Amino acid sequence: MTKPQQFKGKVAEHILLNDKYQYIDIELVEPYLMEFLAGQYVSLGIGEGERRSYSIASGPGMNHAIELCVEIIPGGKGSSYLKNLKPGDEVSFLGPLGRFVLQEAQDKEQKLLFVATGSGIAPLRSMILDLLERRQDKREIWLYWGLRDVKDMFWEEDFRLRRESFTNFNYQLLLSQPPENWPLESGYVTRQIKELGLNQDWGVYLCGNPRMMEDIKQLALETGVLKEQVHFEKFY
């Protein structure tokens, strides 16, 4: 893994995706390139000596910038700091950090399951972009992403288009509180995953709600997935 170092960057784009989530594109200034592994995160300075950890949502193939996807928490110092950033503003962060990364042993993880809730999609998006676009990985890949309701949705087209472009990529968005007559899938991700038929051939990557991660972890272990093939990001 690349040794972490201090970076300076400049906000290139800041988008409020909806009332709950925001997207920030940070162009690197010094150093101007960062080598990282899909799934890693940065520790961002938010003022007054405080820092917050945010997973990188972009793939490692784009090493001149990083993309962040962050939940807007009312009263939260980190999300408030980010919400006030404007294009051109300077930021500093330490990175890359973390060991929640793709495993290299493809013979052990012959199929891949990614499960996220909310902004936990960030590191999984990085992994999926890396697998599909940079590595041209041909393994069966499933992504289940849980959000609460319609107004929370974002990146739906982003993943839908990739599903159309890569035949080995399967994507399912689920709403836990769908509107009446919602035509797509709803409910909680655990119910859907039971139908996949998990076994020791699967690698499982989880990020988001702690209860979801624990439920999927237990389900995976009960269906034969090896403990060392269940990976999760702990700071969400």
Side-chain angles (χ1 to χ4, degrees):
M1 289 188 180
T2 303
K3 185 178 179 180
Q5 59 181 311
Q6 196 69 32
F7 285 84
K8 292 181 181 179
K10 188 170 288 188
V11 176
E13 189 175 23
H14 182 203
I15 300 173
L16 295 179
L17 299 166
N18 48 49
D19 291 341
K20 193 175 286 187
Y21 302 104
Q22 58 184 320
Y23 163 90
I24 304 99
D25 181 4
I26 301 172
E27 288 286 335
L28 303 182
V29 176
E30 185 183 346
Y32 65 92
L33 294 176
M34 183 174 74
E35 303 297 330
F36 66 94
L37 299 177
Q40 290 192 293
Y41 67 92
V42 297
S43 177
L44 188 76
I46 62 167
E48 300 179 351
E50 294 194 53
R51 312 184 72 85
R52 293 291 187 275
S53 296
Y54 299 112
S55 292
I56 303 169
S58 45
M62 188 177 73
N63 59 6
H64 62 89
I66 60 169
E67 297 175 338
L68 305 179
C69 173
V70 180
E71 184 174 358
I72 301 170
I73 301 173
K77 271 192 173 181
S79 57
S80 295
Y81 168 82
L82 292 174
K83 191 174 180 180
N84 289 322
L85 289 176
K86 304 179 297 298
D89 286 350
E90 294 185 353
V91 297
S92 64
F93 61 87
L94 180 68
L97 300 161
R99 297 182 177 277
F100 179 57
V101 298
L102 291 164
Q103 302 304 297
E104 295 299 330
Q106 294 193 20
D107 58 324
K108 293 183 178 179
E109 299 186 359
Q110 298 172 30
K111 301 178 182 180
L112 299 173
L113 169 64
F114 297 91
V115 187
T117 55
S119 59
I121 192 65
L124 304 191
R125 179 177 184 262
S126 179
M127 292 178 180
I128 290 167
L129 292 179
D130 190 34
L131 287 166
L132 296 179
E133 298 181 355
R134 191 168 74 99
R135 303 190 187 195
Q136 298 290 303
D137 197 296
K138 301 302 181 186
R139 284 177 289 178
E140 184 178 337
I141 298 170
W142 286 82
L143 169 63
Y144 285 88
W145 184 16
L147 292 169
R148 181 164 292 180
D149 50 42
V150 170
K151 68 177 184 291
D152 296 338
M153 290 171 56
F154 62 97
W155 287 351
E156 163 66 13
E157 186 176 7
D158 184 77
F159 286 115
R160 182 179 59 79
L161 291 175
R162 285 184 170 82
R163 181 178 60 193
E164 293 175 2
S165 299
F166 299 93
T167 56
N168 60 317
F169 176 55
N170 305 276
Y171 162 60
Q172 187 67 260
L173 173 72
L174 296 101
L175 299 181
S176 60
Q177 296 180 9
E180 190 175 353
N181 299 320
W182 175 246
L184 304 179
E185 292 292 340
S186 61
Y188 295 97
V189 293
T190 45
R191 179 176 61 84
Q192 298 287 326
I193 289 164
K194 287 180 180 179
E195 301 174 6
L196 274 183
L198 298 178
N199 55 39
Q200 63 183 6
D201 294 333
W202 287 81
V204 178
Y205 295 79
L206 311 171
C207 192
N209 181 282
R211 181 174 178 179
M212 176 280 290
M213 292 196 293
E214 186 59 33
D215 288 348
I216 301 298
K217 177 184 175 183
Q218 290 303 316
L219 174 62
L221 295 176
E222 289 169 5
T223 53
V225 179
L226 302 179
K227 185 177 180 180
E228 61 268 24
Q229 291 172 202
V230 180
H231 319 279
F232 49 91
E233 181 55 90
K234 298 179 180 178
F235 67 74
Y236 274 78

